[in-house]
Amino acid sequence: GVGYAFAEQIDVVLAALAARSTATEGPVVFAMSALQRRMWLLNQLTPGDPSYHVPVLREVVGPVDIRQLRRAVTEVVGRHEILRTTYRQLDDLLVQVVHDWLPPEFLEHDARDGSFDDALSVARDLAARPFALDAGPVVRTAVVRVAHDHWLLLVCAHHITLDGWSVDRLVK
Protein backbone atom coordinates (compact mmCIF):
# COMPACT_ATOMS: atom_id res chain seq x y z
CA GLY A 1 0.00 0.00 0.00
CA VAL A 2 0.85 3.68 0.14
CA GLY A 3 2.37 3.41 3.63
CA TYR A 4 4.70 0.60 2.56
CA ALA A 5 5.86 2.51 -0.56
CA PHE A 6 6.49 5.59 1.56
CA ALA A 7 8.49 3.56 4.09
CA GLU A 8 10.60 2.14 1.25
CA GLN A 9 11.30 5.67 0.00
CA ILE A 10 12.38 6.73 3.48
CA ASP A 11 14.66 3.68 3.72
CA VAL A 12 16.30 4.56 0.39
CA VAL A 13 16.91 8.16 1.47
CA LEU A 14 18.20 7.14 4.90
CA ALA A 15 20.53 4.58 3.33
CA ALA A 16 21.86 7.21 0.93
CA LEU A 17 22.41 9.65 3.80
CA ALA A 18 24.01 7.01 6.02
CA ALA A 19 26.42 6.11 3.23
CA ARG A 20 27.71 9.67 3.23
CA SER A 21 30.38 10.67 5.70
CA THR A 22 29.71 13.97 7.42
CA ALA A 23 33.25 14.95 6.47
CA THR A 24 32.56 14.36 2.78
CA GLU A 25 31.77 17.41 0.71
CA GLY A 26 29.25 17.17 -2.05
CA PRO A 27 25.53 17.20 -2.62
CA VAL A 28 23.07 15.96 -0.03
CA VAL A 29 19.95 14.10 -1.19
CA PHE A 30 16.49 14.30 0.41
CA ALA A 31 13.08 13.04 -0.69
CA MET A 32 10.92 15.72 -2.26
CA SER A 33 7.94 17.01 -0.31
CA ALA A 34 4.46 16.24 -1.63
CA LEU A 35 4.17 19.74 -3.15
CA GLN A 36 7.60 19.41 -4.77
CA ARG A 37 6.63 16.02 -6.25
CA ARG A 38 3.49 17.62 -7.70
CA MET A 39 5.46 20.55 -9.18
CA TRP A 40 8.08 18.16 -10.61
CA LEU A 41 5.40 16.01 -12.24
CA LEU A 42 3.63 19.03 -13.74
CA ASN A 43 6.98 20.19 -15.12
CA GLN A 44 7.52 16.75 -16.70
CA LEU A 45 4.06 16.82 -18.29
CA THR A 46 4.43 20.36 -19.70
CA PRO A 47 8.16 21.11 -20.05
CA GLY A 48 8.96 24.76 -20.57
CA ASP A 49 5.52 25.93 -19.38
CA PRO A 50 6.03 29.11 -17.29
CA SER A 51 2.71 28.68 -15.43
CA TYR A 52 4.58 27.65 -12.28
CA HIS A 53 7.18 30.42 -12.40
CA VAL A 54 6.96 32.94 -9.59
CA PRO A 55 8.25 36.29 -10.91
CA VAL A 56 8.65 39.46 -8.90
CA LEU A 57 9.47 42.63 -10.84
CA ARG A 58 10.55 45.88 -9.22
CA GLU A 59 11.21 49.21 -10.87
CA VAL A 60 14.29 51.00 -9.55
CA VAL A 61 15.02 54.65 -10.27
CA GLY A 62 18.51 55.79 -9.35
CA PRO A 63 22.04 54.42 -9.64
CA VAL A 64 22.50 50.63 -9.45
CA ASP A 65 25.89 49.07 -8.84
CA ILE A 66 25.62 45.87 -10.89
CA ARG A 67 28.77 44.35 -9.32
CA GLN A 68 27.40 44.90 -5.81
CA LEU A 69 24.01 43.51 -6.80
CA ARG A 70 25.63 40.42 -8.34
CA ARG A 71 27.74 39.97 -5.18
CA ALA A 72 24.63 40.28 -2.99
CA VAL A 73 22.77 37.67 -5.07
CA THR A 74 25.77 35.33 -4.82
CA GLU A 75 25.88 35.79 -1.02
CA VAL A 76 22.16 35.07 -0.66
CA VAL A 77 22.51 31.89 -2.74
CA GLY A 78 25.46 30.86 -0.58
CA ARG A 79 23.41 31.26 2.61
CA HIS A 80 20.22 29.49 1.54
CA GLU A 81 20.29 25.80 0.61
CA ILE A 82 16.95 25.96 -1.19
CA LEU A 83 18.54 28.29 -3.76
CA ARG A 84 21.24 25.64 -4.43
CA THR A 85 18.81 22.75 -4.77
CA THR A 86 17.95 20.75 -7.89
CA TYR A 87 15.21 18.18 -8.37
CA ARG A 88 15.41 14.82 -10.12
CA GLN A 89 14.35 11.22 -10.24
CA LEU A 90 16.78 8.77 -8.64
CA ASP A 91 15.62 5.26 -9.50
CA ASP A 92 11.98 5.26 -8.36
CA LEU A 93 12.43 8.09 -5.87
CA LEU A 94 11.90 11.79 -6.53
CA VAL A 95 14.64 13.68 -4.71
CA GLN A 96 15.92 17.15 -4.06
CA VAL A 97 19.68 17.51 -4.25
CA VAL A 98 21.26 20.24 -2.14
CA HIS A 99 24.56 21.30 -3.68
CA ASP A 100 27.53 22.80 -1.84
CA TRP A 101 27.55 25.46 -4.52
CA LEU A 102 25.40 26.25 -7.54
CA PRO A 103 26.24 29.48 -9.38
CA PRO A 104 23.31 31.90 -9.45
CA GLU A 105 21.77 32.87 -12.77
CA PHE A 106 22.28 36.62 -13.05
CA LEU A 107 21.30 38.22 -16.35
CA GLU A 108 21.84 41.77 -17.59
CA HIS A 109 19.98 43.32 -20.49
CA ASP A 110 20.32 46.83 -21.88
CA ALA A 111 16.98 48.06 -23.23
CA ARG A 112 17.85 51.77 -23.45
CA ASP A 113 17.26 51.79 -27.21
CA GLY A 114 13.59 50.91 -26.79
CA SER A 115 10.55 52.06 -24.88
CA PHE A 116 9.55 51.17 -21.34
CA ASP A 117 7.07 48.67 -22.80
CA ASP A 118 9.96 47.05 -24.70
CA ALA A 119 11.89 46.73 -21.42
CA LEU A 120 8.83 45.16 -19.75
CA SER A 121 8.58 42.71 -22.64
CA VAL A 122 12.24 41.73 -22.14
CA ALA A 123 11.59 41.17 -18.42
CA ARG A 124 8.50 39.04 -19.23
CA ASP A 125 10.52 36.97 -21.69
CA LEU A 126 13.28 36.43 -19.10
CA ALA A 127 10.68 35.39 -16.51
CA ALA A 128 9.15 32.89 -18.96
CA ARG A 129 12.44 31.16 -19.83
CA PRO A 130 12.28 27.51 -18.74
CA PHE A 131 14.10 26.22 -15.68
CA ALA A 132 16.07 22.97 -15.80
CA LEU A 133 14.93 21.50 -12.49
CA ASP A 134 17.51 18.71 -12.66
CA ALA A 135 20.49 20.99 -13.41
CA GLY A 136 19.53 24.30 -11.82
CA PRO A 137 19.58 26.99 -10.89
CA VAL A 138 15.85 27.24 -10.31
CA VAL A 139 15.99 30.92 -9.41
CA ARG A 140 17.10 33.68 -11.76
CA THR A 141 17.85 37.34 -11.23
CA ALA A 142 17.80 39.78 -14.12
CA VAL A 143 18.49 43.48 -14.40
CA VAL A 144 16.99 45.31 -17.38
CA ARG A 145 18.35 48.80 -17.94
CA VAL A 146 15.56 51.09 -19.16
CA ALA A 147 17.47 54.42 -19.08
CA HIS A 148 20.59 55.89 -17.47
CA ASP A 149 19.26 55.58 -13.90
CA HIS A 150 16.11 53.56 -14.56
CA TRP A 151 16.06 49.77 -14.11
CA LEU A 152 13.81 46.78 -13.83
CA LEU A 153 14.89 44.14 -11.31
CA LEU A 154 13.44 40.68 -11.84
CA VAL A 155 13.69 37.76 -9.45
CA CYS A 156 11.98 34.67 -10.78
CA ALA A 157 11.85 31.20 -9.24
CA HIS A 158 10.15 27.96 -10.10
CA HIS A 159 7.34 27.27 -7.63
CA ILE A 160 9.03 23.96 -6.70
CA THR A 161 11.60 26.10 -4.86
CA LEU A 162 9.80 29.19 -3.63
CA ASP A 163 6.32 30.65 -3.47
CA GLY A 164 5.36 34.25 -4.24
CA TRP A 165 5.70 35.38 -0.63
CA SER A 166 9.22 33.91 -0.37
CA VAL A 167 10.39 35.51 -3.62
CA ASP A 168 8.93 38.86 -2.54
CA ARG A 169 10.84 38.63 0.79
CA LEU A 170 14.01 37.72 -1.11
CA VAL A 171 13.69 40.82 -3.28
CA LYS A 172 13.26 43.08 -0.25
Side-chain angles (χ1 to χ4, degrees):
V2 174
Y4 182 74
F6 183 70
E8 283 183 343
Q9 288 182 352
I10 291 174
D11 288 341
V12 170
V13 171
L14 291 176
L17 292 174
R20 293 179 41 83
S21 163
T22 55
T24 302
E25 292 185 17
V28 178
V29 178
F30 298 99
M32 285 186 207
S33 70
L35 177 61
Q36 289 170 330
R37 288 191 305 271
R38 180 174 170 242
M39 291 291 114
W40 184 87
L41 180 59
L42 289 169
N43 190 69
Q44 297 301 305
L45 294 172
T46 56
D49 180 2
S51 298
Y52 293 98
H53 294 188
V54 184
V56 175
L57 185 66
R58 296 286 186 258
E59 188 174 5
V60 178
V61 177
V64 172
D65 185 334
I66 298 294
R67 286 188 7 216
Q68 281 291 92
L69 182 58
R70 183 184 298 270
R71 186 177 3 249
V73 168
T74 300
E75 287 178 16
V76 168
V77 168
R79 284 196 307 262
H80 297 280
E81 290 178 344
I82 195 68
L83 302 178
R84 301 187 316 270
T85 300
T86 57
Y87 305 86
R88 63 181 59 135
Q89 186 169 359
L90 182 63
D91 298 322
D92 291 334
L93 186 63
L94 297 178
V95 297
Q96 50 184 316
V97 181
V98 180
H99 301 269
D100 291 332
W101 178 242
L102 191 63
E105 183 175 8
F106 189 96
L107 307 168
E108 298 175 51
H109 188 85
D110 192 336
R112 288 182 283 186
D113 291 340
S115 67
F116 184 75
D117 287 341
D118 293 337
L120 282 174
S121 179
V122 167
R124 271 190 233 101
D125 290 346
L126 293 172
R129 284 183 42 196
F131 288 104
L133 299 183
D134 60 337
V138 292
V139 177
R140 83 175 43 101
T141 303
V143 179
V144 179
R145 190 170 199 170
V146 179
H148 175 68
D149 278 341
H150 190 186
W151 312 79
L152 296 175
L153 172 63
L154 169 73
V155 176
C156 184
H158 193 284
H159 189 43
I160 198 169
T161 299
L162 299 172
D163 58 17
W165 182 87
S166 301
V167 172
D168 195 47
R169 300 298 305 161
L170 186 64
V171 170
K172 290 179 181 183

